[in-house]
């Protein structure tokens, strides 16, 4: 599998994981634990943005 396809697949999986984590966080009654889970989802989303930057670079430059 080419690198850009592998990165795109990873991004999709991470988006799903972040969404599942946010959904689970909304069901946690303890405020501190809910905040920690929400923070973890936000961290995953920051990583997703980094991967999207890589994909944009690959698509723009054609470099792998």
């Amino acid at each position: 599998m080419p690198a850009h396809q592998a990165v795109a697949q990873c991004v999709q999986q991470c988006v799903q994981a972040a969404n599942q984590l946010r959904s689970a966080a909304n069901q946690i009654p303890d405020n501190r634990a809910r905040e920690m889970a929400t923070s973890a989802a936000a961290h995953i989303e920051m990583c997703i943005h980094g991967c999207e930057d890589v994909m944009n670079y690959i698509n723009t430059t054609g470099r792998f």
Side-chain angles (χ1 to χ4, degrees):
M1 173 182 306
H4 63 284
Q5 287 179 339
V7 173
Q9 183 178 15
C10 184
V11 166
Q12 290 174 349
Q13 292 170 346
C14 289
V15 167
Q16 291 174 352
N19 289 338
Q20 290 173 338
L21 187 53
R22 283 196 183 280
S23 180
N26 289 333
Q27 298 175 20
I28 298 173
D30 181 76
N31 285 340
R32 181 66 181 135
R34 186 174 50 251
E35 289 174 6
M36 289 171 29
T38 301
S39 176
H43 182 76
I44 292 171
E45 290 166 345
M46 287 182 354
C47 294
I48 290 167
H49 292 301
C51 291
E52 288 173 339
D53 288 345
V54 168
M55 288 175 38
N56 288 336
Y57 177 80
I58 290 170
N59 289 335
T60 301
T61 65
R63 295 181 186 175
F64 302 113

